[in-house]
Amino acid sequence: MATNTLSTEKKFNWGGGKSPFSVSYGKLMMWIFLLSDAFTFSSLLIAYGFIRYSFQSPIHNLVVKPFDHLSHDFVQEMVEKTKYFVQDHWPSPELVFNHFPFIHGMHLPLFFVSLMTFILILSSVTMVLAVEAGHRNAKSEVSKYMLMTIIGGAMFLGCQAWEWTTFIGEGARLFGNPYGPRSFAALFFIVTGFHGFHVFSGVVLNVIIYINVLKGTYEKRGHYEMVEKVGLYWHFVDLVWVFVFTFFYLI
Amino acid sequence: MEHIEHLEHTETPKDMKSQIWKTFWILLAFTVVDIVIYFMLLSNHSMWKNWLFILLGVVKAYFIVGVFMHMKFERKTLMYSIIIPMIFVVFFVSLMIIEGDYTNLLRWFK
């Protein structure tokens, strides 16, 4: 009888008495939360894809040659000669987002967003390095990498703020913009704003965890699982940016 | 703490650090490829361009979720319960892009 129950326990993951997913409750719930959050973000991207393609494609894209939009003179001439930004054609994002902080009068298409992507991926790397250090219970390393992650997140937020300021300074508003369909700027503000809010909450969470690491809370607890959980959230924010970047600037 | 120790340890590879940096370079490379393809295919209006970008996004997602979020080393049940719903979501996104294109067509006949 006793051996019988023992073999059942071994055989079935869902027989009770142990975690069928082999992760802790907190981590599993973080995964479920991230899944639901992914649904929210995808609804925004679905809306973007639908609205973007319910408008005409950028006017002159059919006549441009590859890499034409990288040239400053070509773009300036094209935008000035022809009325490029019109109501029923979606604008080409690289002609709108071509500014870079401290560099004036130059046409640098998508350079700044690429830099933002780079910063966020790098902060994701430092986060996973913090998690890795947590496995070895190396407190000083965890705190070092957590601090780097926080700085990366703050830098990203700064970039986002600059991007918004420039865009608003050019006359873009939630209900209208000088570049084309109203929904172009509206979707930009809503999607990047929602993502930026997630980054902001991520930075706040990271700061809380960082303080706890410094206080030695997790050292006393014997494991750094909280760093892993917040790490999951932080990587998710990075993942969402990958798709926001793909949809907003490429599709 | 007690309930953590019950869990059998999911395997973490020994060379995790080098794997992390390798993933970083892969992600960076794919982002650069993304941008180069974008400027190369400026005049191309086919839907295939979009599927290519979405596919590249999914590849990047594979590396972020698999290595950074440790999903590669988790139990298969957890993996499938997160991944399968997202497959449908990617399908839905692609579907609505096509749908938007038809809406665009209808505007012409208005």
Side-chain angles (χ1 to χ4, degrees), chain A residues 200-211:
Chain A
F200 175 72
S201 7
V203 170
V204 170
L205 288 173
N206 280 346
V207 168
I208 294 169
I209 299 299
Y210 176 60
I211 291 169

Side-chain angles (χ1 to χ4, degrees), chain A residues 19-41:
Chain A
S19 162
F21 289 119
S22 189
V23 289
S24 68
Y25 171 78
K27 240 173 154 181
L28 181 62
M29 287 305 115
M30 183 51 98
W31 272 113
I32 303 291
F33 163 69
L34 293 184
L35 186 63
S36 68
D37 216 16
F39 289 161
T40 315
F41 270 111

Side-chain angles (χ1 to χ4, degrees), chain A residues 123-154:
Chain A
S123 84
S124 217
V125 169
T126 55
M127 185 79 227
V128 79
L129 286 171
V131 171
E132 195 268 338
H135 284 304
R136 292 182 278 113
N137 285 323
K139 183 184 161 185
S140 62
E141 261 188 83
V142 176
S143 58
K144 181 181 86 184
Y145 286 126
M146 283 302 291
L147 184 64
M148 283 159 85
T149 312
I150 293 165
I151 292 169

